Amino acid sequence: MTVGTSRPAARKGALVGASAAPGASGTGVPGMIDPDDLPDGLVVADEDGRVVCFNAAAVRLTAVARADALGQPLEQALPLEDLKGRRWWSLTDPYGGLAIRGGQPERNLLLPGNREVLVAARYVREEPLGPVRKVVVTLRGTEARRRTERSHAELIATVAHELRSPLTSVKGFTATLLAKWERFTDDQKRLMLETVDADANRVTRLIAELLDISRIDSGRLEVRRQPVDIAAAIGRHIQAHTARGQSPDRFFVRVRRPLPDLWADPDKIDQVLGNLLENAVRHGEGTVTIEVAPTGPHDDEKGTAVTVSDEGPGIPEESMGRVFTRFWRGSKRGGTGLGLYIVKGIVEAHGGTITVGRGPAGGAQFRFTLPVGAPAYLA
């Protein structure tokens, strides 16, 4: 990629692409990219160290007018400092120093007013070890990185909080049993051990969620496809809820047959169904309706659609767009706020989609689709 060297009289300073004719304004030449169309800030200095390109994103990030930057020495147009307050261009000396240098990797630097930007530079030479003919600098805002850092910090804080309670319980009960085993009756020992077992399962589930999030974020969530009878899987989840004390009358299942063959990861589909039914039972009210049907004409692919709805207050309209983000909680009834984020990742790893809306009775309604898919050995 080469950058033209139009002087300050040019309207936008330079073009990215093939070499520009002198005075080219930048929008009508085939094969060219107008620097103002780039999403990142672009600053180019010529062999004399004077700015010949200063695009619109650079103006926005630096709050320096283009007219004030063009033709100025690079260190004056971009008075960058490192986080220790040292002048950046004096430290790096792009036009001097070792001739083998090709540029500077991206790093956080400060503009006047302590505004942070991510800066990377490339030193352009016409021949190896020759003099620097251009210095190309890219600028990016730090907002996206800050959001990622905040998300990671929130995840760590949530995990620490969720782990503390069950681990404290496990430690307390085991220490008590070890110290005073003979003082307790068999029923008391059983109760303590059942509590320890339940808390250990809670820790195991949390660790599994963290592993799932890691795989989803890195795109490494593996799907091992097998034939899945989704109606039977729903029946097993309902039986588990009734065994824990829910009334069988609270669940209504409607299956529209014939259903297409479904090849999916049975463990992960169980995870999706378990999370959606748990949400409907815990946060919803009234009857929980589960409908299984072939996908319709408005869906992208042939497959199976599952809808889970309840008769509770539903999800506020302003929260609909945040339901599948990390740490979203529909109420104050516990949970890590990670379940629906994982559900969305699992469904999308299968090539499906998931949506949230308002059910016929006014409660929350989740609908996900799973394409027919193929066996693991053919995928």
Side-chain angles (χ1 to χ4, degrees), residues 95-114:
Y95 293 93
L98 294 175
I100 60 173
R101 295 183 306 163
Q104 294 290 334
E106 187 177 72
R107 65 193 65 203
N108 278 34
L109 295 176
L110 299 176
L111 287 165
N114 288 327

Side-chain angles (χ1 to χ4, degrees), residues 1-4 14-20 31-35 38 42 44 53:
M1 181 179 74
T2 61
V3 180
L15 296 173
V16 179
S19 58
M32 300 292 184
I33 299 174
D34 192 325
L38 296 175
L42 176 67
V44 182
C53 175

Side-chain angles (χ1 to χ4, degrees), residues 24-47:
S25 62
T27 56
V29 182
M32 300 292 184
I33 299 174
D34 192 325
D36 283 354
D37 293 335
L38 296 175
D40 295 335
L42 176 67
V43 180
V44 182
D46 63 12
E47 58 188 331

Side-chain angles (χ1 to χ4, degrees), residues 241-287:
H241 279 284
T242 56
R244 293 197 294 267
Q246 292 292 329
S247 170
D249 295 336
R250 190 172 182 192
F251 301 94
F252 177 72
V253 181
R254 181 188 299 117
V255 180
R256 291 174 49 198
R257 299 185 184 276
L259 295 173
D261 293 336
L262 176 62
W263 289 79
D265 189 314
D267 292 335
K268 290 182 171 55
I269 297 306
D270 270 345
Q271 196 173 349
V272 170
L273 293 172
N275 193 290
L276 294 181
L277 287 173
E278 181 70 23
N279 277 353
V281 169
R282 179 184 296 182
H283 304 294
E285 298 173 4
T287 301

